[in-house]
Amino acid sequence: MLSFLPSLMLAQVVTAPLPPIQAEYITQPQEIRPLPGQLNDVPVFNSNSPEVVVGDGILLSTYPQEGKYDPRAHLNKPLNGRFDFFSHHIARPFDSRLLYQGVLVSNPSNRFVRVKILQGASYLTSPDAPFVELPSLVEDPKGQVFSGPGSRLMSSILRGKSQTSFPSQIIIGPGQTRLLFTLPIPRSNARSTYLRLESDGPVYMANLAMQAIQELPETIASAKEQKPTPPKLRPPSQADWEALLVRGRLATPRDKAPTPPEQIQRSAYSRPIYGRVAGISLGSEWKGALLDRPGTNVLSIPSRGQSFSYPLSTLDVGTHGTSQIQSAPMLARYPDTAYLANGNYGVHYQLDLPLYNGTKSRQSVSLSLQTPLKQDQYKDRLFFLSNPNGQVFFRGTVKVSYQDDQGQVQDRYFHITQRQGQMGSPLIMLNLEPGEKRHVSLDFLYPPDATPPQVITVKTEELYYGGLLRR
């Protein structure tokens, strides 16, 4: 029997024919619809390759190639106006020195340029956000529930939080360079960072990695003192970062090179390597109104006992029969990195569901986020595992806004942890009267260290529950 194999951070995704339906598999007959909406046109400085950093090197540079020791490390792509910054890297340096991440921003114009940091946050695995076992669904009104730096980062950005360690703005003189930040990444730690930025002129940006600088020991003043002086270590200065930008190489070792898109087949034995992202992707938000059809203003709930779903963060393989690929295109990239921003890490999904009960009876309707088994063959069913106990495929926070059955406006946050093939529990349950329309919105930023796709599912329950199951 062929099985579904998990993938970690999209380094490689495997798809296989659906196995014969046996006791461990649950088939859920239902309609699967393409997700309405589209990505916006905000560029994202998107740095995730190489994911594991072992020493000094250039992770991602949009600077011109002229005058650089390693021209292939520079993409010659200026940024201007609204753009975002996302990075996720793990430190495993060759020696015991602390690894640092530094970001340079340069102004190539002949006038001053202002770069505003509209929002920014950055977290380490330890001590900020260790990976911990959590229940599959936890309500989290204060942002105190997370597992891993990607989970905590997306929760903070979703809630509009910004760390005070980032400046509110930097002003760069004509032809000058500023250091946006230097942050440590201790050994075996991951650091996830997201910034929302806005400039009033073109800038170049580089994300660099460097170990602590070892200074020469001081000269021994007395011949009687023969004890060796231990070397002093310090964080890299702006001058150190600028020297690395000019004289450094593209960071190595490189991740696996991706399969060219034209070679990816949706056949039973397709094994594409998506690669990791390093470049400028196009799209920081996906906004969509989930409607019966274009031109209408309602989303009619399904018949009692029925449901329909919309896939989220789909890739070339695993579209659940919709053939919809949501991955952001790349405006610039290194040749050995991903052709698309697979997984849409950090993309803010904002979905509006104007639920409408067009029946003549009161109905109970639930909204769920689910992680079905990945497949491309069917758009009239989902497949789950009766005992999902494998790899975690999603750990992150979603916000649900709606008017409850008492007419009160609710903004609720839930942290979700789901494994491959997990059906998931309802986030909310609403009771709709005949002819009633109720707006629900779902917001989340797709978290790093997750494996897409997921689906959002609307279900009309078999029975009308009154207020008994109201959360």
Side-chain angles (χ1 to χ4, degrees), residues 106-143:
S106 293
N107 171 16
S109 72
N110 57 6
R111 64 178 184 84
F112 283 88
V113 169
R114 183 194 310 268
V115 180
K116 296 180 181 178
I117 295 84
L118 306 176
Q119 189 180 4
S122 182
Y123 295 103
L124 290 167
T125 308
S126 178
D128 301 332
F131 288 99
V132 295
E133 291 289 334
L134 291 171
S136 59
L137 184 63
V138 182
E139 186 155 7
D140 181 28
K142 296 183 178 180

Side-chain angles (χ1 to χ4, degrees), residues 49-63:
S49 179
E51 184 191 31
V52 177
V53 183
V54 300
D56 299 1
I58 297 168
L59 301 172
L60 176 59
S61 167
T62 74
Y63 280 75

Side-chain angles (χ1 to χ4, degrees), residues 103 105 114-122 161-172 178-183 193-198 205:
V103 174
V105 186
R114 183 194 310 268
V115 180
K116 296 180 181 178
I117 295 84
L118 306 176
Q119 189 180 4
S122 182
K161 295 181 179 179
S162 194
Q163 292 174 331
T164 57
S165 55
F166 294 105
S168 60
Q169 65 178 24
I170 57 173
I171 298 176
I172 312 172
R178 290 288 304 275
L179 179 62
L180 183 59
F181 67 78
T182 295
L183 292 172
T193 305
Y194 203 96
L195 307 174
R196 287 175 170 160
L197 306 167
E198 185 174 35
M205 178 176 281

